[in-house]
């Protein structure tokens, strides 16, 4: 797929600047997701404007917070490769690479009217992926760009590009 990536800081306000973009990737990063209030606000605006988004690791947590979910700190975190995640509604296990200390609270999304859980970490049953209902917005707790397995989660990038194409057709 031919795409152009424009990298911006974590607190960049797309809507205050005159920048042309079709979608947002909410990338990984360190720290407590609840401290990223500017980013959470931007994600909320993007969802209201029907902008496709794909969150990775911290981006997964920020997306959940933007959709009224909650996060918490794990006692030890998920570190390393070969972390098994089940694709909800299937028997498909994806071998993933992970490095994080915070996750989405399953309790906060079980009754959430905006969030569907798409992936579950098989070692501890934590939320490993979500999608936003009726939006071209989804995320995963793991690192699909790391390609462990070796390419178990490569399909997520294809899904993201397809979401962008559909959104552009609906303009």
């Amino acid at each position: 797929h031919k795409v152009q990536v424009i990298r911006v800081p974590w607190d960049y306000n797309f809507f205050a600047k005159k920048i042309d973009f079709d979608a947002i990737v909410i990338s990984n990063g360190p720290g407590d997701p609840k401290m990223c209030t500017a980013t959470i606000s931007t994600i909320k605006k993007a969802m209201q404007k029907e902008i496709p988004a794909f969150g990775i690791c911290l981006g997964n947590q920020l997306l959940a917070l933007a959709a009224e979910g909650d996060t918490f700190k794990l006692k030890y975190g998920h570190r390393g490769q070969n972390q098994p995640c089940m694709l909800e509604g299937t028997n498909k296990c994806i071998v993933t690479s992970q490095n994080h200390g915070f996750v989405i609270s399953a309790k906060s999304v079980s009754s959430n009217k905006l969030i569907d859980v798409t992936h579950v970490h098989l070692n501890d049953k934590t939320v490993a992926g979500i999608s936003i209902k009726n939006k071209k917005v989804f995320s995963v707790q793991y690192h699909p760009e790391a390609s462990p397995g070796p390419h178990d989660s490569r399909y997520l990038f294809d899904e993201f590009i397809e979401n962008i194409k559909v959104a552009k057709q609906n303009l």
Side-chain angles (χ1 to χ4, degrees), residues 60 72 74 76-88 92-100 102-104 106 117-130 140-143:
N60 183 57
F72 69 94
L74 293 165
Y76 298 109
H78 297 144
R79 314 282 181 210
Q81 289 184 269
N82 300 322
Q83 301 283 326
C85 291
M86 182 70 75
L87 182 59
E88 283 288 89
K92 183 176 182 177
C93 178
I94 300 168
V95 177
T96 69
S97 177
Q98 300 191 17
N99 185 24
H100 55 267
F102 290 84
V103 292
I104 297 170
V117 174
T118 59
H119 298 77
V120 173
H121 194 294
L122 290 177
N123 288 344
D124 61 7
K125 305 298 187 232
T126 54
V127 176
I130 61 171
V140 291
Q141 186 58 61
Y142 54 88
H143 292 271

Side-chain angles (χ1 to χ4, degrees), residues 96-170:
T96 69
S97 177
Q98 300 191 17
N99 185 24
H100 55 267
F102 290 84
V103 292
I104 297 170
S105 160
K107 185 177 181 181
S108 77
V109 296
S110 65
S111 61
N112 188 301
K113 292 179 175 42
L114 298 175
I115 299 173
D116 282 324
V117 174
T118 59
H119 298 77
V120 173
H121 194 294
L122 290 177
N123 288 344
D124 61 7
K125 305 298 187 232
T126 54
V127 176
I130 61 171
S131 66
I132 305 301
K133 293 177 183 175
N134 302 313
K135 307 274 184 200
K136 300 291 183 199
V137 177
F138 66 97
S139 59
V140 291
Q141 186 58 61
Y142 54 88
H143 292 271
E145 77 282 8
S147 297
H151 302 290
D152 286 6
S153 55
R154 181 181 280 174
Y155 75 94
L156 293 167
F157 293 100
D158 295 331
E159 185 177 327
F160 180 54
I161 296 298
E162 188 59 31
N163 283 347
I164 295 169
K165 290 178 183 176
V166 169
K168 287 181 82 162
Q169 290 173 356
N170 292 334

